[in-house]
Amino acid sequence: MMEQLYDAYLKHRSVTTDSRNCPVGSIYFALRGDRFNGNDFALSALKAGCALAVVDDIRIRNEPGCLFVQDSLKALQDLALIHRQKAGALIIGITGTNGKTTTKELLAAVLSKKYKTWFTQGNFNNHIGVPLTILSMPVDTEVAVIEMGANHPHEIDFLCRIAQPDMGLITNVGKAHLQGFGSFEGVMKTKAELYEFLKRNPGIVFLNTDNDYLKAMLGEIDSEVIRYGTGSECYVKGSNASANPFLSFDWEAGNVKRQQVSMRLSGSYNFENALAAIAVGVYLKVPTDDINAALGHYRPVNHRSQILTTDANTIILDAYNANPTSMAAALDGFEKMLHKKKVLILGGMRELGNESESEHRLLVNRLLTMKFEKCWLVGEEFSALVPLDARFSFAENGDELCEILKVKPFSNSLVLVKGSRAHKLERVTTYL
């Protein structure tokens, strides 16, 4: 059955799981969700132009154009594994609590200077997104950068078994998705599954030596480890990092003399993400000038570490996601920036389970030690935690804050906008 399916894939080279997006000649996989059954749309997908529909509903097993399997999702994953093994591309796996998407994009920008490079589009980094990423690789792909996300134990190991990475790196570990992982230790154990795969299937690990958690997670390893960070032992060594508001730093590596990089990316926390991209690039022999050019030309998107300049204010927009670790890093960086008038707009952090109230309380306590003009706390997570301090105000949601800012705008400020995606805080930038 899988041989037949792979032959069909090689003929069409296009797959979809969305019956609303059916390129002519593509293969439709009928997946099931909590609120939908993709099998219900298989026939309409065929009418829309799909060449084949992979289904697992016995009611339509004999319909023309349908290929019946026991589990459509597993068939998608198995097909991706077969293709990964036959395609011949070098696969680099990336995971981590924070920074994996930015690191993926920086790394792809660097590698594309020398290689035909493919990388995870958007946040397609789960048990469906990773197979789709592999199956969407162009025929001439030489290197693929695969982002792997997780919010429950064993998910990284599962994704590694599909993607079979030859190299890998973990950006960092922190307090995120605690509701699914149960604890910070659960986060560490799950992320470390990438290291464990590269130990079992000897591959190359890129390690941030400035991160003690990552060093402990790696432990003893027989395969090659490429170290990056600020220490003298590093293969790629960075120094003189600053972000006010744009990130700049120096780096050197072996016979590569000290280089200076200025980026259009905010946040000193992105220093380690840039060093990761440099380390892989140097190891894979991307020319030094090309590495620097790729980093200098990179422009963040999707509300991640973006600098927006309006007629009234300068905005640091980092509102794609938030957890205690990324929030602390954002505040650390913001605190170091030089500006006479600073404003914070912070949304609540999601998926923290039983730790939610305590983590938000810790955040508020941290804010009380900082110097700023104004701080808006947005979301129900903060409703009972707003300090009796004239600098602080509360809004139930982003829409309410937008209405307030329409009436009471401010100007000449450096504004940090940070929060979980559910709060959609990017909307407030219209009124800043």
Side-chain angles (χ1 to χ4, degrees), residues 236-255:
V236 167
K237 179 184 175 183
S239 59
N240 301 323
S242 66
N244 193 35
F246 294 111
L247 175 65
S248 64
F249 60 92
D250 298 342
W251 69 273
E252 56 191 289
N255 60 354

Side-chain angles (χ1 to χ4, degrees), residues 62-132:
N62 295 320
E63 290 287 343
C66 291
L67 177 65
F68 179 77
V69 297
Q70 292 299 314
D71 186 326
S72 296
L73 175 58
K74 187 175 186 304
L76 176 69
Q77 295 163 343
D78 289 347
L79 180 65
L81 174 58
I82 292 171
H83 185 55
R84 186 269 173 269
Q85 293 171 333
K86 293 180 180 293
L90 177 73
I91 303 291
I92 303 171
I94 293 181
T95 191
T97 301
N98 303 306
K100 55 184 176 292
T101 297
T102 298
T103 304
K104 168 203 69 182
E105 292 178 352
L106 291 173
L107 180 51
V110 167
L111 295 179
S112 65
K113 292 290 187 179
K114 181 178 174 68
Y115 302 96
K116 298 290 186 181
T117 303
W118 183 242
F119 60 100
T120 301
Q121 305 298 295
N123 63 343
F124 273 39
N125 61 13
N126 64 5
H127 62 297
I128 298 172
V130 168
L132 290 175

